[in-house]
């Protein structure tokens, strides 16, 4: 190899490049810190409030009005069976949704992406249109459907009105349009050749879906699972409408009962329950974040 | 395995992918489907594989019609341009996948995978992930996966198009040697006519869904039956000139504003019967530079000016303007032809091709 001569770059006019870069970085960090400040203050407030007797702004106060007064009294609820019941119900709803939405979306998304059948186009546009209807508009109709489902012997107890299963069923249905469209998009991006190769290798269509195609859309499925889990965990309107009393209440409904039923409201306890509710979500995110970050880094390799 | 394709057609909502294809592939042969992209060669291949259902016609393996047989029951192996490997499995996982589905026992799988991998020269890569392999290695895995189930018919869909030029040359030889050693009937889809010429026992040239010609490579090169085949087979491609062929007293001449050549009677007879212009084909390699040492005979030479020289290494590809008509010819590089030179070319008129401009059929090998 012979070396070719390259003219050195001309020095920039004005500030030296290093100084300019430093200024730019300072500006960027300044802007970022400023824009997340409100959220940071909010979280700090929440966390301080949960371990304080009382707060004034960000300052914890004791009974005499001085600085201090740290207490774990607000966390007494962890010994209460009712919150663990609510937690369990929340988990049940969220997990049922992750499983239900996951199975239906990957199967439906694959079919809509890869197979030809009558009404495919109509189905796709219908799901989009129906997704535009807010859950609130459907509450009364769903109420009657759940009442009717509850009348079915035996299984009606699990998926009818005032049951965790019924709430999960409704939430799954509301989440499916997004899920199916999302997974269809991921399947659309996969090359046909891999599928053809598997068919020639001797796989059935179901096996192709299960063993060959599903592993390729794992990042998409992880993202969908996370969205679905959050939606299920934070679900308020549907469980609030279709459940009665504390037995089948989930965390957000329980939190609401805390505010309205106890007088006067202990806001610091509400803050503690709110923080408590976030913990499983954080754990779930830690487990899926690696997959999530992979979505755009290496969705389909090998071609 | 003998493969017969009869009146095979495929159309989607009026778009024709393959139109009335008739082919007969003998046992053990390697047949190339050659044509530009979108000519229907892959469509035809996928019908043979059973991925596409034919709109009409039949495909038979050893006399048995297989139109309704599922791909997995056809006893075929296929290699794709994109390799189509399963990225979430190891090399071993990929090659063993067809055997697992056939429920071969574990020891048998291990032994057969190792044997095929050794044959492909990837025996020490079995634990690797697909993403850790180079393109050439991936194509070997893909070939191994196709071979491991000991197929009766091998299908190749442009397997070398994604490889670099040097590797393509090596793999070309390897695939051909492997195929003839194992004696597996094969169909090889390619748009590269050099690949088709060097590897195939017979070539099926396709264009716009229609089978243009099906013959041994030498015949396609020496005796092209259509204008399309003449233009597609051979590299650099054949030159075409519009000429009028006339004959009197047993002497035939091809004339236009630019040229005037004497043609041998056995070539020109049929063309002379046509009133008006015909297309005369002349391969770049069928001319010789006229010099003092080897003067050309009268009526068998063309004079022109050099407009461009592309050195190909062994030869120069020279663009010549002959009274305004462009031609590309191959000239010995030691002659030192330069742009702007006036040169005289002796034409080997015994290799000239003539085509009817209307029907695009040959006037020599109809």
């Amino acid at each position: 190899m012979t070396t070719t001569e390259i003219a050195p770059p001309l020095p920039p006019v004005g500030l030296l490049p290093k100084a300019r870069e430093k200024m730019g970085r300072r500006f960027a960090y300044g802007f970022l810190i400023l824009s997340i400040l409100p959220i940071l203050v909010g979280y700090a407030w929440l966390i301080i409030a949960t371990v304080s007797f009382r707060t004034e702004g960000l300052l914890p106060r004791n009974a005499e009005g001085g600085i201090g007064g740290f207490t774990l009294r607000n966390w007494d609820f962890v010994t209460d069976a009712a919150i663990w019941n609510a937690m369990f119900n929340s988990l049940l709803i969220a997990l049922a949704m992750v499983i239900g939405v996951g199975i239906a979306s990957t199967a439906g998304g694959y079919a809509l992406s890869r197979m030809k059948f009558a009404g495919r186009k109509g189905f796709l546009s219908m799901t989009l249109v129906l997704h535009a209807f807010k859950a609130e508009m459907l509450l009364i109709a769903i109420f009657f459907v759940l009442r009717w489902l509850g009348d079915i012997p035996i299984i009606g107890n699990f998926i009818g009105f005032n049951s965790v299963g019924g709430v999960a069923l409704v939430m799954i249905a509301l989440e499916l349009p997004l899920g199916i469209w999302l997974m269809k998009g991921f399947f659309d991006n996969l090359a046909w050749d891999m599928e053809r190769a598997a068919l020639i290798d001797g796989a059935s269509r179901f096996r192709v879906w299960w063993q060959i195609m599903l592993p390729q859309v794992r990042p998409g499925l992880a993202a969908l699972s996370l969205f679905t889990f959050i939606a299920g965990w934070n679900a308020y309107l549907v469980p609030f409408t279709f459940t009665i009393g504390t037995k089948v209440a989930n965390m957000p409904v329980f939190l609401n009962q805390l505010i309205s039923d106890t007088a006067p409201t202990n806001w610091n306890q509400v803050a503690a329950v709110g923080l408590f509710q976030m913990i499983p979500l954080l754990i779930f995110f830690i487990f899926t974040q690696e997959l999530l970050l992979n979505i755009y880094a290496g969705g389909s390799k090998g071609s | 395995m003998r493969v017969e394709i009869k009146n095979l057609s495929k159309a989607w909502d009026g778009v024709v992918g393959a139109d009335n294809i008739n082919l007969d592939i003998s046992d053990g042969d390697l047949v190339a489907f050659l044509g530009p992209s979108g000519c229907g060669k892959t469509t035809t291949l996928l019908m043979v594989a059973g991925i596409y259902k034919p709109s009409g016609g039949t495909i038979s393996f050893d006399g048995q019609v297989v139109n309704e047989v599922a791909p997995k029951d056809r006893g075929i192996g296929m290699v794709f341009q994109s390799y189509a490997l399963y990225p979430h499995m190891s090399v071993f996982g990929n090659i063993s996948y067809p055997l697992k589905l056939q429920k071969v026992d574990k020891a048998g799988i291990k032994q057969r995978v190792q044997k095929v991998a050794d044959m492909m020269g990837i025996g020490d890569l079995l634990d690797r992930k697909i993403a850790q392999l180079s393109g050439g290695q991936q194509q070997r895995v893909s070939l191994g996966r196709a071979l491991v189930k000991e197929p009766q018919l091998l299908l190749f869909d442009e397997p070398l198009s994604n490889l670099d030029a040097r590797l393509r040359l090596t793999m070309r030889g390897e695939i051909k040697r492997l195929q003839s050693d194992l004696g597996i009937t094969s169909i090889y889809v390619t748009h590269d006519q050099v690949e088709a010429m060097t590897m195939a026992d017979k070539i099926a040239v396709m264009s716009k869904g229609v089978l243009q010609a099906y013959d041994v490579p030498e015949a396609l090169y020496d005796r092209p039956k259509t204008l399309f085949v003449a233009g597609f087979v051979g590299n650099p491609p054949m030159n075409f000139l519009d000429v009028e062929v006339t004959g009197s007293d047993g002497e035939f001449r091809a004339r236009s504003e630019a040229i005037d050549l004497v043609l041998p009677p056995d070539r020109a007879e049929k063309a002379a019967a046509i009133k008006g212009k015909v297309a005369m084909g002349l391969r770049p390699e069928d001319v010789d530079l006229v010099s003092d040492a080897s003067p050309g005979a009268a009526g068998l030479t063309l004079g022109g000016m050099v407009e461009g020289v592309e050195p190909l290494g062994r030869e120069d590809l020279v663009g010549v303007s002959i009274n305004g008509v462009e031609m590309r010819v191959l000239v010995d590089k030691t002659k030192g032809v330069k742009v702007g030179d006036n040169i005289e070319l002796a034409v080997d008129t015994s290799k000239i091709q003539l085509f009817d401009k209307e029907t695009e059929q040959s006037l020599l090998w109809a």
Side-chain angles (χ1 to χ4, degrees), chain B residues 250-266:
Chain B
E251 193 189 57
F252 292 87
R253 282 182 172 271
R255 279 205 191 89
S256 72
E257 288 90 59
I259 65 164
D260 186 356
L261 273 180
V262 176
L263 298 184
D266 60 322

Side-chain angles (χ1 to χ4, degrees), chain A residues 193 198 200-201 207 211 216, chain B residues 82 86-88 97 101 149:
Chain A
D193 278 356
I200 289 171
D201 280 350
R207 200 186 274 274
Q211 287 188 336
Q216 316 305 320
Chain B
S82 63
Y86 314 129
H88 56 294
Y97 192 65
L101 296 181
K149 44 183 174 172

Side-chain angles (χ1 to χ4, degrees), chain A residues 116 191 193-204 207-208 211-213 215-216 218 300-303, chain B residues 12 46 49 51-52 71-72 76-78 80 82-89 97-98 101 131 138 145 149:
Chain A
K116 259 195 213 163
D193 278 356
M194 202 189 297
E195 201 167 351
R196 289 171 179 156
L199 282 175
I200 289 171
D201 280 350
S204 62
R207 200 186 274 274
V208 170
Q211 287 188 336
I212 305 298
M213 302 308 268
Q216 316 305 320
R218 256 190 323 218
S300 65
K301 271 183 190 156
S303 61
Chain B
W12 297 270
L46 288 175
I51 301 289
Y52 286 169
K72 61 184 170 121
I76 54 177
M78 187 157 171
F80 295 85
S82 63
Y83 319 132
L85 296 172
Y86 314 129
H88 56 294
M89 297 181 189
Y97 192 65
L101 296 181
Q138 290 191 18
R145 185 179 63 184
K149 44 183 174 172

Side-chain angles (χ1 to χ4, degrees), chain A residues 257-272:
Chain A
Q257 285 167 353
L258 219 58
I259 295 168
S260 46
D261 292 355
T262 47
T265 307
N266 180 354
W267 288 106
N268 291 27
Q269 189 193 2
V270 172

Side-chain angles (χ1 to χ4, degrees), chain B residues 222-235:
Chain B
D222 293 333
R223 300 185 291 280
K225 286 201 176 91
T226 66
L227 200 63
F228 178 83
V229 174
F232 200 77
V233 175
N235 186 31

Side-chain angles (χ1 to χ4, degrees), chain A residues 86-131:
Chain A
M87 188 93 151
F88 180 70
N89 286 339
S90 269
L91 197 68
L92 220 55
I93 292 171
L95 285 182
M97 277 180 69
V98 168
I99 293 168
V101 171
I103 292 174
S105 298
T106 46
Y110 176 80
L112 288 167
S113 165
R114 288 300 210 244
M115 292 173 172
K116 259 195 213 163
F117 51 87
R120 176 177 166 274
K121 272 213 166 133
F123 184 86
L124 276 173
S125 44
M126 264 312 247
T127 39
L128 259 196
V129 172
L130 289 178
H131 192 46

